[in-house]
Every structure is written in C-alpha cells, then in structure tokens.
Amino acid sequence: ATESGYSTFDLGPTWSPDGKSLAFIHLNDSGSSIFVMNADVTGLKNLTPDNGSVRQFAWSPDGSKLAYFTRQRQPAGDYLAEIRVTNADSSGQKTILTFRPKRVFYTDLAWSPDGTRLLFASANDGGKGQSLYLVYFDGSGLTRLTDNSLWNSRRTWSPDGRWIAFVSEVDGDEEIYALNVEDAFRDPGGLMPIRLTFSPGVDTNPQWQPRR
C-alpha cells in the first residue's frame, strides 16, 4: 500500500483477550505505531502517535492495557529505547522504563497471568547473549532473572504466574529450564533455574499444561 508516496505495512495483528478488538503495528517510512480497531472494523484508533518506532506490543490479560517497546535514534547515533504502557482506549500513556544503549535489542514482552508484571529480554552489554528481566507494569521493581552471556529465549509464563519456562544454552546446547519467579522481586539472589531437559539435541518451545 502507499500513503502520501510512502510504502506502508500492517504487521502482527493480535486479538484482545475478549476477542472484541484487534491491534496491529502500522509501519511506514516515517516510523511505526500501534493501531487498534473493533472486530467489525470500526473505530480505528492510533494508540501511539508520535512515539517513534514501535518494536513490539502485548495485550494485558484483561484487555484493558497494552505494553510496547519503542525506540528513537538520537543525534549522537545511539538510541533512546523505552517500554511504555497505554490503556486500550489510548488514554494513560506512561513510560515505565527508559534505556540508552548503543545497541538496542529487546524482545518478547509478556504479561504475567494476573496482569501485574512484565517479562522481557534484553541484549547484554556488548551484544553478547541476552538476559531476562521482570518488572511491575508501573515500572517499579526491575529485576534481572538470568545472569550469563548466552541467549535465553522462548519465554513462557506458567498459568498460575509463579514460574517461567525458557530455553538457554548455558549447559552447552539448547535446553529447557524453569524458574520460580514468585519471590523474584523480594529475593533476586535466590533465583535458581531448574533444568528440565537433557537431550544432546535441541530442546525448545516449552508449553505449560493449562490450569484445571
């Protein structure tokens, strides 16, 4: 599609938890924004006007909010990267974390099942590997969950919000680990990942059994 001479794309459509709204990233040559519309294709609204380049977003479990990554290139050549939270009606925009790294690589925003916490991954200093972080949705309590120079990927919350599962190469190849994060903010030093797989091959894509 074209818009005022620019190429435009709509990416990553994601339904709200109640199925009544659809959010997606609208990308053009001047940046990208999150748009949301009703299931009947009415009520199209830009949730993130003039916020630079939106990288990823995630609905809160109750569908009332969205969290997203955004970044802007600075005159010095590095980036200002942020995690923001907005209400689904575009009110209450709030920046909860701000970063100024030379190399920006954040992925996989995921709300806890109770909607109080956000899990995300960030590239380590120097671009070697990736660590996992936990933060309350108001920006408080930032806690680093993994502390190594390897990639930690495929992160998923347990249905009760007490655990996360992820894939790491810390023991030589890709294996699945579980980490109890119930007390992560209170006692980050006590975090001990539990290795769940021991295959010589690649183990990935952990999935939790639904709660009964």
Side-chain angles (χ1 to χ4, degrees), residues 150 168-175 177 195 199-201:
L150 300 172
S168 178
E169 298 178 0
V170 68
D171 288 308
D173 66 347
E174 293 187 14
E175 303 287 355
Y177 295 79
R195 182 173 171 177
S199 168

Side-chain angles (χ1 to χ4, degrees), residues 35-57:
F35 279 75
V36 66
M37 63 183 179
N38 299 325
D40 62 2
V41 201
T42 63
L44 183 65
K45 184 181 300 183
N46 185 350
L47 298 187
T48 59
D50 304 321
N51 280 346
S53 177
V54 173
R55 312 298 294 177
Q56 184 196 9
F57 69 89

Side-chain angles (χ1 to χ4, degrees), residues 51-103:
N51 280 346
S53 177
V54 173
R55 312 298 294 177
Q56 184 196 9
F57 69 89
W59 287 96
S60 64
D62 65 0
S64 67
K65 303 180 187 306
L66 291 94
Y68 63 97
F69 290 120
T70 184
R71 72 175 188 176
Q72 294 179 327
R73 192 174 184 87
Q74 302 298 293
D78 60 350
Y79 290 92
L80 172 67
E82 296 178 330
I83 297 178
R84 297 185 178 185
V85 173
T86 179
N87 293 329
D89 63 2
S90 78
S91 67
Q93 289 272 348
K94 182 178 181 180
T95 297
I96 66 168
L97 288 177
T98 300
F99 312 91
R100 289 184 178 273
K102 292 184 178 298
R103 183 179 185 274

Side-chain angles (χ1 to χ4, degrees), residues 108-122:
D108 297 335
L109 268 176
W111 291 82
S112 60
D114 65 1
T116 64
R117 296 163 290 169
L118 286 163
L119 175 69
F120 68 96
S122 171

Side-chain angles (χ1 to χ4, degrees), residues 1-197:
T2 59
E3 181 179 279
S4 302
Y6 294 116
S7 296
T8 65
F9 302 91
D10 295 323
L11 308 171
T14 305
W15 288 105
S16 61
D18 63 7
K20 295 181 179 180
S21 301
L22 185 71
F24 59 91
I25 293 178
H26 178 74
L27 174 68
N28 59 40
D29 286 359
S30 60
S32 53
S33 298
I34 301 171
F35 279 75
V36 66
M37 63 183 179
N38 299 325
D40 62 2
V41 201
T42 63
L44 183 65
K45 184 181 300 183
N46 185 350
L47 298 187
T48 59
D50 304 321
N51 280 346
S53 177
V54 173
R55 312 298 294 177
Q56 184 196 9
F57 69 89
W59 287 96
S60 64
D62 65 0
S64 67
K65 303 180 187 306
L66 291 94
Y68 63 97
F69 290 120
T70 184
R71 72 175 188 176
Q72 294 179 327
R73 192 174 184 87
Q74 302 298 293
D78 60 350
Y79 290 92
L80 172 67
E82 296 178 330
I83 297 178
R84 297 185 178 185
V85 173
T86 179
N87 293 329
D89 63 2
S90 78
S91 67
Q93 289 272 348
K94 182 178 181 180
T95 297
I96 66 168
L97 288 177
T98 300
F99 312 91
R100 289 184 178 273
K102 292 184 178 298
R103 183 179 185 274
V104 179
F105 189 72
Y106 302 106
T107 61
D108 297 335
L109 268 176
W111 291 82
S112 60
D114 65 1
T116 64
R117 296 163 290 169
L118 286 163
L119 175 69
F120 68 96
S122 171
N124 296 321
D125 292 342
K128 294 182 179 180
Q130 193 179 45
S131 293
L132 306 183
Y133 293 84
L134 199 63
V135 65
Y136 284 115
F137 80 91
D138 64 0
S140 64
L142 179 65
T143 300
R144 186 172 181 171
L145 302 179
T146 58
D147 188 13
N148 58 60
S149 61
L150 300 172
W151 291 102
N152 298 284
S153 61
R154 305 290 184 180
R155 297 153 286 275
T156 58
W157 283 95
S158 65
D160 63 6
R162 296 178 58 202
W163 296 77
I164 62 167
F166 62 98
V167 175
S168 178
E169 298 178 0
V170 68
D171 288 308
D173 66 347
E174 293 187 14
E175 303 287 355
I176 296 172
Y177 295 79
L179 183 63
N180 189 319
V181 296
E182 187 173 23
D183 295 324
F185 294 124
R186 182 180 61 83
D187 183 24
L191 295 171
M192 295 293 294
I194 300 171
R195 182 173 171 177
L196 301 180
T197 59

